[in-house]
Amino acid sequence: MPIIRPAQASDLPAITEIFNEAGVGTTASYALDPVSVDDRRAWWEQRTAAGFPVLVLEDDGEVVGYASYAQFRPLAGYARTMEHSVYVTSNRRAAGGGRMLMQALIDYARGRGVHVMIGVVDGANEDSLAFHRRLGFEESGRLPEVGRKFDRWLDVVFVTRILDDTP
Ligand SMILES: CC(C)(COP(=O)(O)OP(=O)(O)OC[C@H]1O[C@@H](n2cnc3c(N)ncnc32)[C@H](O)[C@@H]1OP(=O)(O)O)[C@@H](O)C(=O)NCCC(=O)NCCS
């Protein structure tokens, strides 16, 4: 039975492997070089110290996905706008895990007054675009050729979902 829980230090090797598979190995993120466990430890420590969530999807004792968010841009006026990331290991997709992770992230965000969640998705990442549409996100902007990976220019799509109706 899959569960969602906060990431612990012992999850960092699995998180590193999942990120290196999809985040570095494909255009799901524009990271170019594989990251180390120490790199992910620094990332996890910084996120948790700042009060941002790092959640894992665990199934039968194995970490098979994770999700996190942090403030979209640094200036204070963006304090209630978060950019998220969500990854499920390739052989565990299409089984509801991504939805579980995003729902938990959204619940966490709602509890902290987050107004908007933003996904920054590669324009050709049809899986992620379809996934986000299914979770109620809409495409709010496309920035042509702002990324470069695998020797080609990449368009990025911002997908947004407004979580609360505060005026
Ligand atoms: C995007 C990703 C996290 C989705 O995770 P997942 O576990 O496969 O998604 P789920 O099985 O929970 O699907 C949730 C919903 O999205 C839909 N969906 C997911 N992928 C889809 C696809 N390729 N085409 C159409 N619909 C899709 C599902 O049908 C499901 O709908 P439902 O719950 O209403 O039945 C996963 O594909 C992934 O890790 N991709 C690589 C990393 C990545 O691109 N991350 C996003 C970076 S912005």
Side-chain angles (χ1 to χ4, degrees), residues 24-27 30-32 145 147-155:
V24 180
T26 77
T27 55
Y30 293 171
L32 300 181
E145 301 192 5
R148 189 165 179 89
K149 189 167 178 178
F150 304 139
D151 291 326
R152 59 182 194 272
W153 295 113
L154 303 170
D155 297 355

Side-chain angles (χ1 to χ4, degrees), residues 21-23 31 36 41 94 104 109 132 137 145 156 163:
E21 178 196 44
S36 64
R41 180 172 295 106
H132 281 96
F137 285 76
E145 301 192 5
V156 104
L163 300 186

Side-chain angles (χ1 to χ4, degrees), residues 47-69:
R47 290 242 162 151
T48 48
F52 297 131
V54 180
L55 306 177
V56 294
L57 170 69
E58 180 188 308
D59 194 12
D60 273 340
E62 188 190 349
V63 171
V64 296
Y66 72 92
S68 182
Y69 70 60

Side-chain angles (χ1 to χ4, degrees), residues 22 28 86-88 93-99 120-121 125 127-128 130-131 134:
V86 52
Y87 289 91
V88 175
R93 292 183 193 150
R99 178 182 277 281
V120 179
V121 182
N125 188 348
D127 289 341
S128 181
F131 169 77
R134 216 51 207 142

